[in-house]
Amino acid sequence: MPSLISPAERDYILKGIECNIRADGRQRSDFREITLETSVVSQTSGSARVRIAGGSDVLISVKAEIGPVQVDPETGDGADKGQIICSIECAPSASQQFEGRGADDLNNELTQMMSRFLCSNNTAISSLSPTCSGSGGIDLSKLCIIPGQQCWILFVDALVLDYGGNLMDAIFMGVRAAIYDTKIPKTEVQDLGDGQFEFEVLDDEEDIDFVHGREDMPICITLNKIGTRHIVDATLLEELCTEAKLVVAVNRAGEICGLQKNHDGSIEPSLLLEMIQVGKTMGQALIKNLDAKIKEEAESDLTKRLQGDPARKLGFFAQ
Amino acid sequence: MDRKRVPGPELSVAPLVEYPADFKRWTPQDECRHDSKRQPEDMRPIYLKTGLITQANGSAYIELEKTKLACGVYGPRPIKRVGQIFSGRGILNCEIKFASFSCAKRRSNIRDPQERELSQILSQALAPAVRLEKIPKSAIDVYITVLESDGWGSCVAAAVTAASVALAHAGIEMLDLVAGCSASYIQTAPLSISSLSISEGDTGSISTSTTNTNKTITATATATQPPQIFMDADFEEEKYQQGAIVLAYMPSLHEITHVLQSGKAESSTISQSVEHCMEACNKIYAVMHHALLESIGENKEAL
């Protein structure tokens, strides 16, 4: 992963973008080829791996665990809600810069951004109000087992195996696929009287729940402002020329679920509004295509399982 | 855990407060805002003063009623950290710290992930204005302490404003001052009877406290009407927000240096709130100007 770029190379990229042609032959609004695979790690409740041609490789796992509910002592809020806890880690093997504490800042920045877009809990951004249904779309109340006591906690962990630009988009696509793939065992709650409850986790492969509201999860589109233009899906070198990045999180209905500027540059107000619009339309189109592929994969896995054939996976670092 | 300090208790319980008989908690359905003086588009009055920290190269103190922050700027000075890759640009290093008593919940003395992210956000918001290419191999350190926080968004916005005034006070070359402003999207529409009865049925399962029913009522109302934009919302108002935006803007260059939005919103709401925030930033800019001019006047008197 280079960290410096020569003025000549920068100039080449800049002028190319001005003429709407990029070094790899793409136009400003073109994505690279994306490879997506679900159910790749057997130990998880749901997992996905996203690879963007010629670069980023991300593995996302969702693990569902049972834990105590988190209640706000002041408002009593959160007693009937499950939790989602996000974390993004850049593997030291992905780049020389990630060894030791080198990736700390990046990890923290990405994790906080993902928490803000995905969950509306109090730790992510001050107190996103109790009236807010959450930008993440996931129905947290369905994750509650015994109100005031036990709930499902979804740990969403992303591991960056290779870094080739446009990390955030890849991660969010992967998270959507992994949550779609997540299977949570059903529970049976027994009322023992006088406020006492007991529950049992059903240990049957057929008795599973999917995550409610998974279709309403946002994905994000990163727009890179280079010169007076903006591009999507930037490569590593293009990211080095980027003045300012705008991450736009959009859901299926076209609602904006989060916005964040990155990098040390500024954006004119008119360009900012244009970028939000572009992000919104591109995001909606991407969600549509992504959902079709995810459903296709889930169905083909199911038919294979019913026929008794093993579902073949590409595995990691596959081309 | 930090063993040199006396730690706060692990578990804390909200105190039992006796409210007077006529006390009514503020809700968005009330006709006025929480402090009952402001209109939705009004900000809280700002008090801004420079030079309150004697040891710093530049400093500023900002107060928006109950939001209070102090900011000190040190530098430009040589980079301390060894092994950092060479760059022709200087480094703007921001650090924000919430005092342990600043929020409703006690905050730890150790820097938490949220503070680390905020620090990054601040340096991204300020960097476009500072001429870092003029100071290679050096660093500017900006330290912000939040003394009292009344609303998360307003706190971040105030930090941006105070930090850029402190940078200017330190005599660091800048292209423009950066003003920060926050807004919250709050649903104020009165409710129809039908949505009320439906939502009560929904929550009637196990624990139905009064706050619980309130929640679902507003949630059903959100779908119908665009939310009201409340500028510079305080803590009590933020409790009801559906989303919030923080904008950092350079008024004379007419450029946005940072935008941070959370929660769901239609794009029309966002463009509207961006415009409102820019307008408010222009007003804050006048206050910043005034504070800086005042500091020059004081210097002259001292001479």
Side-chain angles (χ1 to χ4, degrees):
Chain A
M1 176 178 160
S3 55
L4 290 170
I5 187 165
S6 71
E9 182 112 40
R10 182 191 295 267
D11 197 47
Y12 179 69
I13 292 173
L14 228 83
K15 292 223 169 99
I17 285 166
E18 202 58 45
C19 308
N20 201 10
I21 182 91
R22 288 153 72 174
D24 46 9
R26 285 185 288 157
Q27 295 192 334
R28 283 194 290 263
S29 56
D30 288 347
F31 269 89
R32 285 171 283 183
E33 199 171 283
I34 298 159
T35 319
L36 179 78
E37 207 177 1
T38 52
S39 307
V40 280
V41 186
S42 62
Q43 305 279 13
T44 58
S45 313
S47 61
R49 177 186 148 271
V50 180
R51 190 185 162 86
I52 297 181
S56 301
D57 194 341
V58 199
L59 180 66
I60 286 104
S61 91
V62 179
K63 251 172 136 55
E65 282 178 16
I66 293 170
V69 292
Q70 227 181 14
V71 189
D72 189 331
E74 202 189 336
T75 56
D77 180 46
D80 57 348
K81 276 184 180 161
Q83 294 162 46
I84 301 175
I85 294 170
C86 309
S87 118
I88 297 176
E89 203 189 310
C90 297
S93 57
S95 164
Q96 206 182 350
Q97 279 160 23
F98 295 159
E99 65 184 357
R101 314 199 112 218
D104 275 9
D105 279 349
L106 186 64
N107 287 346
N108 185 51
E109 186 184 352
L110 295 175
T111 304
Q112 293 286 327
M113 204 194 300
M114 179 148 101
S115 313
R116 194 166 26 240
F117 292 168
L118 219 52
C119 27
S120 59
N121 64 356
N122 294 358
T123 48
I125 178 171
S126 67
S127 49
L128 252 185
S129 71
T131 50
C132 160
S133 50
S135 55
I138 296 170
D139 191 351
L140 293 177
S141 55
K142 288 279 191 322
L143 291 174
C144 184
I145 303 169
I146 304 171
Q149 291 173 33
Q150 301 277 303
C151 67
W152 284 106
I153 304 174
L154 294 183
F155 290 93
V156 182
D157 295 295
L159 185 66
V160 178
L161 296 169
D162 199 355
Y163 187 86
N166 204 22
L167 208 50
M168 211 50 197
D169 293 14
I171 289 171
F172 262 80
M173 277 187 260
V175 169
R176 192 177 173 88
I179 294 271
Y180 209 90
D181 183 48
T182 301
K183 299 164 192 82
I184 303 171
K186 277 194 176 131
T187 49
E188 226 165 47
V189 181
Q190 283 178 317
D191 192 346
L192 303 177
D194 45 274
Q196 295 284 317
F197 294 97
E198 203 169 67
F199 72 93
E200 201 182 338
V201 178
L202 298 177
D203 198 19
D204 189 348
E205 233 181 85
E206 301 303 317
D207 267 335
I208 46 156
D209 264 331
F210 289 107
V211 180
H212 285 266
R214 56 185 182 172
E215 293 89 2
D216 295 321
M217 276 177 57
I219 63 161
C220 65
I221 299 284
T222 309
L223 295 145
N224 298 263
K225 184 200 165 205
I226 299 180
T228 52
R229 311 277 184 172
H230 54 84
I231 57 164
V232 292
D233 193 18
T235 61
L236 257 183
L237 289 176
E238 283 166 343
E239 277 191 357
L240 285 174
C241 304
T242 299
E243 290 165 43
K245 254 194 218 182
L246 187 74
V247 184
V248 187
V250 203
N251 67 8
R252 195 171 49 157
E255 287 166 313
I256 310 287
C257 301
L259 271 183
Q260 182 162 353
K261 194 218 83 164
N262 270 333
H263 272 283
D264 297 343
S266 55
I267 308 172
E268 303 89 72
S270 55
L271 186 66
L272 179 88
L273 296 178
E274 185 195 315
M275 281 161 93
I276 295 173
Q277 279 307 328
V278 169
K280 183 181 143 183
T281 40
M282 291 194 84
Q284 268 182 296
L286 187 62
I287 287 184
K288 220 173 166 188
N289 286 334
L290 192 65
D291 277 1
K293 288 285 172 201
I294 294 172
K295 277 192 189 122
E296 201 178 287
E297 167 128 343
E299 271 162 26
S300 80
D301 273 7
L302 190 70
T303 45
K304 270 186 189 160
R305 207 155 52 98
L306 290 177
Q307 286 166 356
D309 294 339
R312 259 176 217 289
K313 296 290 174 186
L314 288 170
F316 309 126
F317 294 104
Q319 288 295 334
Chain B
M1 205 187 74
D2 194 350
R3 290 188 183 282
K4 285 174 212 148
R5 297 172 199 269
V6 181
E10 262 174 38
L11 250 176
S12 61
V13 182
L16 297 168
V17 185
E18 275 189 34
Y19 292 107
D22 59 340
F23 177 81
K24 224 178 120 251
R25 200 172 272 278
W26 181 85
T27 64
Q29 279 77 46
D30 291 358
E31 271 180 17
C32 52
R33 286 188 64 165
H34 175 236
D35 64 2
S36 68
K37 286 173 292 203
R38 284 193 283 164
Q39 292 298 309
E41 64 276 7
D42 286 349
M43 300 194 55
R44 284 173 283 187
I46 300 175
Y47 174 80
L48 187 62
K49 193 163 172 60
T50 55
L52 289 174
I53 302 168
T54 52
Q55 299 302 306
N57 294 81
S59 65
Y61 170 78
I62 191 167
E63 204 175 292
L64 288 100
E65 286 185 352
K66 280 189 206 155
T67 300
K68 299 183 181 95
L69 292 95
C71 173
V73 171
Y74 296 84
R77 54 191 183 186
I79 292 175
K80 268 186 285 176
R81 266 189 288 173
V82 269
Q84 209 153 33
I85 10 154
F86 172 79
S87 118
R89 283 162 65 85
I91 293 167
L92 184 69
N93 175 34
C94 292
E95 262 179 48
I96 187 164
K97 180 81 200 105
F98 283 85
S100 49
F101 45 79
S102 61
C103 302
K105 232 184 195 170
R106 183 180 180 273
R107 294 188 81 117
S108 100
N109 303 94
I110 307 156
R111 222 146 75 100
D112 63 16
Q114 200 197 10
E115 284 167 349
R116 288 212 331 241
E117 196 217 11
L118 266 186
S119 306
Q120 228 169 352
I121 287 173
L122 276 175
S123 59
Q124 284 168 358
L126 295 168
V130 183
R131 299 201 65 188
L132 291 169
E133 67 277 7
K134 287 264 188 179
I135 47 160
K137 293 191 270 182
S138 358
I140 301 167
D141 293 298
V142 180
Y143 298 108
I144 296 154
T145 312
V146 181
L147 302 171
E148 208 175 326
S149 160
D150 190 10
W152 190 87
S154 80
C155 207
V156 180
V160 173
T161 311
S164 83
V165 169
L167 280 167
H169 184 241
I172 285 157
E173 217 170 311
M174 296 205 314
L175 297 167
D176 193 4
L177 289 169
V178 187
C181 184
S182 69
S184 286
Y185 317 136
I186 298 174
Q187 193 68 49
T188 51
L191 305 154
S192 61
I193 311 284
S194 61
S195 73
L196 208 139
S197 59
I198 292 165
S199 52
E200 271 183 344
D202 280 348
T203 46
S205 49
I206 300 171
S207 68
T208 331
S209 65
T210 40
T211 46
N212 244 335
T213 34
N214 273 342
K215 245 178 269 169
T216 30
I217 290 165
T218 3
T220 41
T222 53
T224 49
Q225 269 197 327
Q228 173 88 45
I229 298 166
F230 277 22
M231 299 304 294
D232 190 27
D234 62 16
F235 184 63
E236 211 52 45
E237 289 167 338
E238 268 189 356
K239 282 184 185 164
Y240 293 92
Q241 77 190 12
Q242 292 174 349
I245 192 165
V246 180
L247 192 88
Y249 173 66
M250 296 191 286
S252 356
L253 285 182
H254 192 53
E255 296 230 349
I256 291 168
T257 64
H258 209 285
V259 57
L260 181 68
Q261 190 248 324
S262 62
K264 241 190 269 184
E266 291 289 333
S267 50
S268 58
T269 314
I270 292 177
S271 47
Q272 207 187 339
S273 61
V274 166
E275 261 161 47
H276 280 277
C277 281
M278 278 170 15
E279 255 170 56
C281 283
N282 282 322
K283 286 180 200 155
I284 299 170
Y285 189 61
V287 180
M288 295 161 84
H289 241 247
H290 182 75
L292 282 170
L293 279 175
E294 226 169 43
S295 75
I296 295 170
E298 270 167 27
N299 278 352
K300 269 187 192 155
E301 274 168 38
L303 288 171

